[in-house]
Amino acid sequence: MVATKPPVRVRADESGIAAAAEVIARGGTVAVPTETVYGLAARADSADAVAGIYRAKGRPDFNPLIVHVPDVAAAEQLATFDARARLLAEAFWPGALTMVLPRRGDAVLAAAVSAGLPTVALRCPAHGAMQALLRVTGLALAAPSANRSGGVSPTTADHVAASLGGRVDLIIDGGATEQGLESTIVGLRDDGTWAVLRPGPITADAIARVLGDAVEAMTSDARGIEAPGQLASHYAPGKPVRLGAQVAEPGEFHIGFGAVAGDISLSTSGDLAEAAARLYACLHAAADAEDARIAVAPIPEQGIGIAINDRLRRAAA
Ligand code: TXA
Ligand code: MG
């Protein structure tokens, strides 16, 4: 049964967080802003609650979820931290870095969270609302992006409501998210190698700098099942998408960048951080436009532009 009534919305204040914590405690789902995108949160220790996430998203159940924790101490209850994980946590937590680590045997996590993998993806988010929800509930929270599976990730509460409607029990409205692109996922392997499994706001170069002499241990390949969520077709706005477009063709809604004006611009000044923050809002706007197709201006393949182009390629696939 899928609910059709509009979801309840609350503000990201004390009473809103308290209401959300109650929903979480009884195994419900809450859409909550993070510094990257809105997440669809449920308690990670309950198989029923986690099933609620998969149901609301319509997500294939081989795709594991990111588990959010308030701090490193909570993360260490769930996964084995080696020296590299400690360095990365010190450098980037709280923030937009997710680490895939060996799951502890005694971790109190529903099996479905990591979809049968021996690892778990952990993130300590920086956003006040998500931090408050983690602390008030005292629980680790599984939270994928709060959109129907395969769709464009939400950066506002309106995006969540449009995508999930009554499938989510409660939405915490904290305004537009700051960074706008999902966290970087780094896999730290037992053999000492590591790989960026999903590019994001924290670049591979920044990670390599922190890991120092482990730079040569970086491998560009994600090995098979390592990043099962990285399907080619993802972030799909529901229309054909053409990339690298300096000029739009008839029937195309043009997303510009820098000198390429377009119908709407990711950043008129050519600022990549602004472009990242606006990417999904622009894709949502393009999806809602009357034009049958979408064209996107070229984006430089540097810094967070790498993550922007990764998402655009998937949107175009
Ligand atoms: O910024 C973000 O990371 C947002 C916010 C809400 O925190 N969350 C997010 O979650 O993007 P989601 O579920 O949409 O993306 C999870 C990704 C998927 O690509 C999945 O394959 C990967 O993380 N993942 C999760 N657990 C994994 C594991 N044990 N090994 C490898 N990849 C894993
Ligand atoms: Mg997602």
Side-chain angles (χ1 to χ4, degrees), residues 116-182:
L117 298 173
T119 51
V120 61
L122 295 180
R123 174 159 110 82
C124 173
H127 195 285
M130 185 53 135
Q131 271 288 340
L133 192 58
L134 288 164
R135 293 192 187 274
V136 172
T137 58
L139 294 164
L141 299 177
S145 51
N147 53 278
R148 293 282 288 170
S149 188
V152 176
S153 296
T155 57
T156 66
D158 284 345
H159 293 160
V160 177
S163 184
L164 294 178
R167 294 185 180 87
V168 56
D169 294 323
L170 186 89
I171 299 176
I172 300 174
D173 188 346
T177 61
E178 195 182 307
Q179 300 188 347
L181 276 190
E182 298 85 351

Side-chain angles (χ1 to χ4, degrees), residues 299-317:
I299 307 296
E301 184 76 4
Q302 65 194 44
I304 197 171
I306 295 168
I308 296 173
N309 283 324
D310 167 76
R311 304 304 191 277
L312 283 173
R313 277 192 295 274
R314 292 173 202 284

Side-chain angles (χ1 to χ4, degrees), residues 9-21 33 128-129 132-133 136 172-174:
R9 276 202 206 200
V10 295
R11 276 206 273 252
D13 56 15
E14 211 178 309
S15 76
I17 298 295
L133 192 58
V136 172
I172 300 174
D173 188 346

Side-chain angles (χ1 to χ4, degrees), residues 36 59 63 66 68 119 123 144-145 183 185 198 226 229-230:
T36 59
R59 179 171 210 164
N63 193 352
I66 294 174
H68 297 69
T119 51
R123 174 159 110 82
S145 51
S183 63
I185 302 180
R198 177 176 71 185
E226 256 186 340
Q230 300 310 93

